[in-house]
Amino acid sequence: MVLDRYGDYVVIFDADTDVVPVFTAHGQWVGLADNPDAIATLIDIHERVNGGDA
């Protein structure tokens, strides 16, 4: 398991699964990205819905 930072977001990579949990750096749940390629889309949607504030 590996934690990685995407600006104001934290993602958790687990070798046993393709899905990637995404949180804000403050611990707010953002959602599950279906795969690592979908992380940017999930973060973009979260920022659009929440006005860009993580």
Side-chain angles (χ1 to χ4, degrees):
M1 188 176 299
V2 175
L3 296 175
D4 198 4
R5 194 83 190 250
Y6 283 71
D8 291 331
Y9 297 88
V10 176
V11 300
I12 303 171
F13 293 104
D14 186 346
D16 295 334
T17 182
D18 286 337
V19 295
V20 182
V22 180
F23 298 86
T24 66
H26 298 289
Q28 178 187 7
W29 174 250
V30 174
L32 279 176
D34 292 333
N35 57 60
D37 294 331
I39 294 169
T41 301
L42 185 63
I43 290 172
D44 183 52
I45 291 168
H46 182 264
E47 289 185 350
R48 288 174 190 244
V49 170
N50 294 295
D53 295 327

